Amino acid sequence: MSEQRSYQRSPNGMVGALLVSLAVIAVFVGLRAISRDNTATPVATFPYGPLLKQARADKRLLAPAPDPMPDGWRATSARYVPGSNASWHLGILTAQGKYVGIEESRSPVSDKVSQFLGEAATKGHVTLVGKRRWQAWTLPDGDYALTLRTVTGSVLVGGSAGASMTRRLVDQLSFG
């Protein structure tokens, strides 16, 4: 018969092996963190001019857009859906990286509030910007929006930019 050797296992040996494994993992994670590029990818500026012209030429909506765009602000998304259920969207980032969206469609204000603000939205005061009466809305997380009834439907302007920046944008809107 051949002699069989067995490996002696001990709790101290297992703890030692575990500590060595954890040290190797920690070194690997540390090296990955140092070598990784942690800079955020900037959101590209979107050239919304052609879509704005199309939306305004269609004459189904007002297609509001800032004229001029506030300094340091930039469009990051735009969409125009033509037809009987026409809609216009323009997404904007402020110079501080806060978001403001402009949404217009043939639907009533109540539909916009439900879709974009939800049940937590609180109706605020009516504010006059230019010759238009805008309804203010706030959300518990600090988001702020203004809504406007139009001849063709409604407009909602709002996002994380807060009240003063949203009002500033509304003040600079041109309507097709």
Side-chain angles (χ1 to χ4, degrees):
M1 279 187 107
S2 68
E3 184 178 311
Q4 212 177 27
R5 293 185 166 196
S6 68
Y7 176 70
Q8 295 292 330
R9 297 179 192 139
S10 70
N12 289 341
M14 289 184 74
V15 168
L18 177 64
L19 290 175
V20 169
S21 297
L22 290 175
V24 169
I25 291 169
V27 168
F28 175 76
V29 169
L31 289 174
R32 290 271 304 156
I34 291 170
S35 65
R36 181 176 295 144
D37 180 14
N38 290 326
T39 57
T41 304
V43 178
T45 300
F46 189 88
Y48 67 95
L51 278 176
L52 179 62
K53 286 179 184 177
Q54 179 188 0
R56 288 183 174 173
D58 194 22
K59 299 204 183 285
R60 290 186 182 268
L61 299 172
L62 300 173
D67 186 22
M69 182 72 76
D71 287 339
W73 294 33
R74 58 197 179 85
T76 57
S77 61
R79 179 181 63 257
Y80 174 62
V81 177
S84 59
N85 291 324
S87 66
W88 166 249
H89 159 81
L90 181 61
I92 300 168
L93 284 181
T94 68
Q96 294 77 27
K98 300 291 184 174
Y99 177 79
V100 183
I102 301 170
E103 304 291 339
E104 181 187 16
S105 70
R106 300 179 66 85
S107 65
V109 167
S110 59
D111 289 357
K112 288 237 180 6
V113 170
S114 294
Q115 181 181 359
F116 294 103
L117 304 179
E119 299 299 317
T122 303
K123 193 179 207 178
H125 61 280
V126 173
T127 185
L128 193 63
V129 181
K131 295 181 180 179
R132 294 184 167 92
R133 297 172 58 86
W134 293 81
Q135 176 67 57
W137 299 86
T138 56
L139 289 147
D141 64 1
D143 284 3
Y144 179 85
L146 292 169
T147 56
L148 174 70
R149 283 185 169 87
T150 67
V151 174
T152 58
S154 62
V155 176
L156 181 143
V157 180
S160 63
S164 64
M165 285 192 229
T166 301
R167 285 190 184 121
R168 177 180 171 198
L169 178 65
V170 165
D171 193 40
Q172 291 186 289
L173 289 181
S174 70
F175 293 80

